Amino acid sequence: MKILVIGGTGFIGPFAINELYELGHTIALFNRGNTPSSLPGITQISGDTKDLASYRSEFERFNPDVVIHMIAYTEQDARLAMNVFAGIAKRIVVLSSMDVYQAYGIILGLEDTPPLPMPLREDSPLRHIMYPYGGDYEKIKVEQVVLSQPVDLPGTVLRLPMVYGPGDPSHRLFKYVKRSLDSRSFLVLDESFSNWRATRGYVGNVAHAITVASINNHAANRIYNVGDAFAYNEHEWINAIADVMKWSVKVHSVMKSELPKQLVNQNLQTKQNWIMDTTRIQEELDYKELYTLAEALEATVQWEKDNPPVSLHPKEFPLFDYDAEDLFIADHP
């Protein structure tokens, strides 16, 4: 197939592009060209996605079967792509997020409803409150636009989980990798966060899901949840990382009311879990994970060791407040 990738130079894109290339597909990349692909035979079309329509003649020359849009964040991004590629491509694949679900609105405290049952299927309720981060980012709007032309330009939507792996800009594992490197033998978590369960996805497996959905025409006009088959709670996740690192650590799960404020996760309403059912992509597209959890964690831990961030991502928790932890444990032997 001839596949045009919009973006593709960030975290997930190179993994998907490498897999598509190894499978023998013909690939073109449209992006600013600041990070050219090292793969031979890749067509590079350099430009700005905000000016996508100016490159229509070049897209027509490449004549893609499928367009993979990795950076459609707003309704305008989606409308522009649909207008440009209708009549050129046979299908468009767009990356969305599990933040579209109403459960995420509850987690953020935006929607005051009782916790929803898990897992989330593709037809589970979506958020009522739009634009949760401010600005014009909204994947719900992106999905609506991409699925609006089922005949002229069929769409495929992939709802991605919290993605981890080598290259992760959020450094999701670093908060625990550093504790191991600092020889911390214990960790204090508020009990509700310790038990909070959410779907994650290793970048290599997420990229494989993108590949499978892109080359399978049965994915037309469909939405698929993507993520690791099992959703670990935070305590289990720490134990899995510890096993890979040979790190002996005890997790103290303590009621919020007993902890100082800095040891409590203030950003999440952890009464609501955030678990996706990935049965549909497995059954309809024969998707299977390429990497085991141990392989995924080993690769990610090594990358985090080699590429420590200057600071934690603002949304990451727990913080490195060792003094508060030490004081709490000293007072609660």
Side-chain angles (χ1 to χ4, degrees):
M1 297 175 70
K2 299 179 76 174
I3 299 173
L4 172 66
V5 180
I6 301 176
T9 62
F11 174 29
I12 303 171
F15 287 85
I17 290 165
N18 286 342
E19 183 175 355
L20 289 164
Y21 182 84
E22 290 173 2
L23 290 172
H25 300 287
T26 301
I27 300 168
L29 303 181
F30 177 81
N31 49 53
R32 291 193 176 114
N34 296 331
T35 311
S37 174
S38 60
L39 297 173
I42 297 285
T43 298
Q44 177 70 54
I45 306 172
S46 297
D48 192 322
T49 54
K50 292 183 175 58
D51 197 26
L52 203 63
S54 298
Y55 300 87
R56 183 179 174 90
S57 60
E58 293 185 62
F59 299 146
E60 287 176 329
R61 280 195 294 273
F62 181 70
N63 191 29
D65 296 296
V66 174
V67 173
I68 305 175
H69 202 325
M70 295 200 159
I71 50 175
Y73 301 127
T74 70
E75 180 178 4
Q76 179 60 27
D77 291 339
R79 288 196 183 282
L80 183 57
M82 296 298 286
N83 290 338
V84 168
F85 292 109
I88 295 178
K90 298 181 179 67
R91 186 161 56 95
I92 185 167
V93 177
V94 171
L95 306 190
S96 185
S97 167
M98 68 178 186
D99 71 14
V100 300
Y101 289 112
Q102 186 181 18
Y104 189 58
I106 298 171
I107 289 168
L108 292 183
L110 298 175
E111 307 207 11
D112 187 17
T113 62
L116 300 176
M118 295 290 107
L120 299 163
R121 297 178 175 83
E122 286 83 355
D123 58 356
S124 291
L126 304 185
R127 275 185 287 104
H128 296 115
I129 305 299
M130 298 282 184
Y131 308 103
Y133 310 116
D136 53 1
Y137 169 98
E138 182 51 83
K139 288 290 189 176
I140 293 175
K141 295 290 187 181
V142 170
E143 291 187 6
Q144 291 171 346
V145 172
V146 167
L147 297 174
S148 67
Q149 299 184 38
V151 176
D152 294 338
L153 184 58
T156 300
V157 169
L158 301 178
R159 290 176 177 161
L160 304 192
M162 296 184 290
V163 184
Y164 65 95
D168 176 12
S170 297
H171 289 269
R172 298 180 193 276
L173 265 64
F174 183 72
K175 59 192 176 186
Y176 299 130
V177 170
K178 185 178 188 304
R179 290 171 182 274
S180 172
L181 298 177
D182 291 341
S183 300
R184 298 291 293 178
S185 61
F186 63 88
L187 173 62
V188 180
L189 290 183
D190 77 69
E191 187 177 47
S192 61
F193 181 61
S194 181
N195 293 325
W196 185 63
R197 199 173 292 276
T199 297
R200 301 170 178 85
Y202 178 60
V203 62
N205 291 329
V206 170
H208 180 54
I210 295 169
T211 295
V212 167
S214 299
I215 64 179
N216 191 328
N217 287 327
H218 290 104
N221 300 314
R222 299 292 280 166
I223 299 171
Y224 296 99
N225 288 338
V226 176
D228 291 347
F230 185 77
Y232 291 86
N233 69 27
E234 200 69 17
H235 192 162
E236 294 165 341
W237 187 239
I238 294 168
N239 287 340
I241 295 168
D243 285 346
V244 165
M245 298 192 71
K246 305 295 188 282
W247 173 31
S248 180
V249 62
K250 180 176 181 180
V251 178
H252 297 268
S253 298
V254 183
M255 291 181 61
K256 284 184 179 182
S257 59
E258 298 180 15
L259 290 173
K261 183 172 66 174
Q262 60 266 43
L263 296 183
V264 175
N265 192 328
Q266 307 288 343
N267 298 320
L268 303 180
Q269 302 297 316
T270 48
K271 64 182 180 179
Q272 175 67 68
N273 289 321
W274 198 23
I275 306 166
M276 290 196 296
D277 184 328
T278 59
T279 302
R280 178 182 288 182
I281 193 170
Q282 296 173 45
E283 292 184 347
E284 292 188 6
L285 305 184
D286 197 28
Y287 166 79
K288 296 180 178 63
E289 294 176 2
L290 295 182
Y291 301 90
T292 65
L293 178 64
E295 291 170 334
L297 290 178
E298 285 171 4
T300 309
V301 163
Q302 188 59 54
W303 181 82
E304 293 284 11
K305 287 180 179 180
D306 295 340
N307 301 273
V310 174
S311 61
L312 279 179
H313 189 278
K315 293 183 181 178
E316 285 302 300
F317 188 86
L319 306 176
F320 297 124
D321 199 334
Y322 295 165
D323 289 342
E325 291 182 1
D326 292 343
L327 183 60
F328 179 84
I329 293 299
D331 290 342
H332 300 78

